[in-house]
Amino acid sequence: MTQDPLGDIPLFREIQKILSSSEGPINLEIARQVANALNQDSTDHIDPDSAQRFAQTVATAGFVVAGYTRLTPDEPARAELVSRRDWVARTLTAWQWLLTHLAARFASEIGSFSEERGAEVDPMGAVMGQVAPLLMGMQAGTLVGQVAHDATGRYDPPIPREDDGHLFQVAANVEAIAEGYSVPPDHLSAWLAVGDVVRHSVSEAIPWVSRYRRSLFIEVVDSLEIDPSDLERRLEELQTRGPEALQEGLGPTQMIPVVPTERHQAALRRLHAFTSVFDGYARHVLGRVSEELIGNIGQIEEAMRRRDATPGEGTAMLNSLLGISFDPALAQSGTTFAAAVVELKGINQLNRVWDAPDNLPSIDEIRDPFAWMERVLVDE
């Protein structure tokens, strides 16, 4: 075999120029092209009247939410409607911190696998090291491109974003959900907006929350173990069958092969617990202020429960890539937890979950609010 292992594989010789264009563990240009290709038929048109209503809802909700929660960000949220293609462009940048960290973890696992077997015994290990950024770029692009058809706003899906912090909604997706579940689109948009205002208020008013959310995802990625032998098998198929073999590995259940471990499950439990109380707090506040801002939300809540029970392909890919799957029942438990604490102790005592990370409830405490109150509110 030649010194450059790619030189002995005709297919890889053809794509070596693409491989050499990658800087770092992920080829972001490939990711951008793949994601855009999956959304090339999406329109960029945003209705000005809808955009104005959304911005006004966010502005009004900021005052009402602050009045109920006593949480006041330093600056009011800025809001805008975006298209799917705009969401793709923003998200590839906003999620770069996570995608790059995942790709680095992926490359590290491949490197360890290759070192264990030795380059002479396992020449494909060297190939895998060079192909990894391309594979990660294709996976990331497919993920972002598919999630663009599911995402509703800044906190859906609930991955922390590294950007300007503005609230937004993906107009086409909100309209599609409203049509699919027969709810008024303006009411659905307002319901989503108020919930995101609550999440924004917590994230901006409580200094540690944003850092903590991000650390939970880093912990999940760091706990991943990947099966390089499965990837090696795919690359061997690439050599004999061509690019269609790689394309077949980009479906929602065929992302990077993650091996379940106890450490990964523990990291997921911490992430699930935080997400449950974070969203449960938002849903509780939304229920308390909705009459003033929206009116009756029963139909919308039922529609969103049905939607959450049947995740789209983009959500399935996200779950497969990170090993994350959010339990709708646990999400509902977060709402019940918040309501129970407020009913017995008041909103100020519920706000003690935001005093410090140690005050956050575990999954068991979310399901048993009395256990959390006995632990955290004992001095009350």
Side-chain angles (χ1 to χ4, degrees):
M1 194 170 189
T2 63
Q3 186 174 6
D4 180 3
L6 296 181
D8 288 336
I9 303 176
L11 172 63
F12 288 160
R13 285 203 304 268
E14 297 298 321
I15 64 175
Q16 190 164 16
K17 183 177 180 180
I18 299 176
L19 298 178
S20 64
S21 69
S22 175
E23 296 182 3
I26 182 172
N27 192 317
L28 291 171
E29 175 57 24
I30 289 295
R32 183 188 65 81
Q33 292 185 27
V34 171
N36 284 338
L38 291 172
N39 290 274
Q40 60 184 347
D41 296 332
S42 299
T43 177
D44 290 326
H45 174 72
I46 299 296
D47 178 57
D49 292 337
S50 297
Q52 185 176 9
R53 286 193 296 272
F54 173 61
Q56 183 59 52
T57 298
V58 168
T60 303
F63 292 107
V64 176
V65 167
Y68 178 72
T69 64
R70 281 74 158 176
L71 300 178
T72 307
D74 292 337
E75 297 181 2
R78 297 180 60 184
E80 57 188 318
L81 294 184
V82 300
S83 67
R84 285 172 178 161
R85 290 197 294 191
D86 191 22
W87 185 90
V88 165
R90 293 168 181 239
T91 300
L92 282 171
T93 299
W95 287 2
Q96 186 174 340
W97 68 273
L98 180 63
L99 296 173
T100 300
H101 194 77
L102 177 63
R105 175 68 177 163
F106 179 47
S108 175
E109 288 282 298
I110 289 176
S112 298
F113 178 76
S114 182
E115 289 176 6
E116 289 176 2
R117 298 183 62 175
E120 294 183 1
V121 176
D122 180 32
M124 287 298 292
V127 174
M128 290 169 68
Q130 294 191 49
V131 172
L134 172 63
L135 177 63
M136 282 302 307
M138 295 179 69
Q139 299 268 3
T142 304
L143 170 69
V144 171
Q146 290 289 357
V147 174
H149 293 261
D150 296 339
T152 59
R154 179 172 190 84
Y155 296 97
D156 176 38
I159 295 178
R161 302 174 70 88
E162 197 171 78
D163 57 13
D164 56 19
H166 295 178
L167 296 184
F168 58 84
Q169 280 184 6
V170 185
N173 293 346
V174 175
E175 292 170 3
I177 294 170
E179 181 179 355
Y181 292 96
S182 301
V183 296
D186 287 349
H187 286 189
L188 175 60
S189 175
W191 186 88
L192 292 166
V194 177
D196 279 0
V197 167
V198 181
R199 296 176 181 90
H200 174 80
S201 297
V202 173
S203 300
E204 296 298 315
I206 311 299
W208 60 267
V209 165
S210 293
R211 296 192 302 271
Y212 185 75
R213 284 183 69 222
R214 177 166 169 159
S215 73
L216 291 173
F217 279 88
I218 291 291
E219 185 179 12
V220 167
V221 171
D222 286 344
S223 67
L224 289 175
E225 289 189 14
I226 298 168
D227 183 4
S229 62
D230 189 14
L231 293 172
E232 183 179 45
R233 175 187 57 77
R234 297 185 197 183
L235 290 175
E236 289 173 347
E237 291 181 359
L238 247 178
Q239 182 180 3
T240 57
R241 294 176 52 206
E244 65 275 7
L246 184 59
Q247 182 65 32
E248 290 174 5
L250 297 178
T253 61
Q254 296 174 303
M255 302 294 278
I256 296 172
V258 175
V259 180
T261 66
E262 185 175 339
R263 181 189 173 196
H264 184 231
Q265 292 303 310
L268 286 176
R269 284 194 295 271
R270 286 187 285 272
L271 175 60
H272 290 164
F274 177 84
T275 301
S276 176
V277 73
F278 186 64
D279 286 343
Y281 185 93
R283 294 284 180 99
H284 166 74
V285 175
L286 174 57
R288 289 300 180 96
V289 305
S290 61
E291 184 174 353
E292 179 178 351
L293 293 169
I294 307 170
N296 190 298
I297 60 173
Q299 183 185 11
I300 294 175
E301 288 182 327
E302 175 58 26
M304 294 305 289
R305 277 194 291 268
R306 291 165 57 197
R307 182 238 184 190
D308 292 342
T310 54
E313 186 170 346
T315 302
M317 284 188 170
L318 179 62
N319 294 346
S320 178
L321 185 62
L322 293 177
I324 296 173
S325 59
F326 294 102
D327 182 1
L330 183 58
Q332 182 58 44
S333 295
T335 307
T336 304
F337 168 88
V341 175
V342 170
E343 182 69 22
L344 294 170
K345 300 292 185 178
I347 186 65
N348 287 337
Q349 297 308 307
L350 175 60
N351 282 343
R352 292 194 60 183
V353 299
W354 311 126
D355 283 354
D358 287 345
N359 276 17
L360 290 169
S362 65
I363 288 180
D364 289 339
E365 289 174 333
I366 290 171
R367 291 172 173 147
D368 181 8
F370 290 98
W372 178 83
M373 287 187 276
E374 289 176 2
R375 176 174 69 86
V376 175
L377 306 183
V378 63
D379 57 332
E380 301 298 325

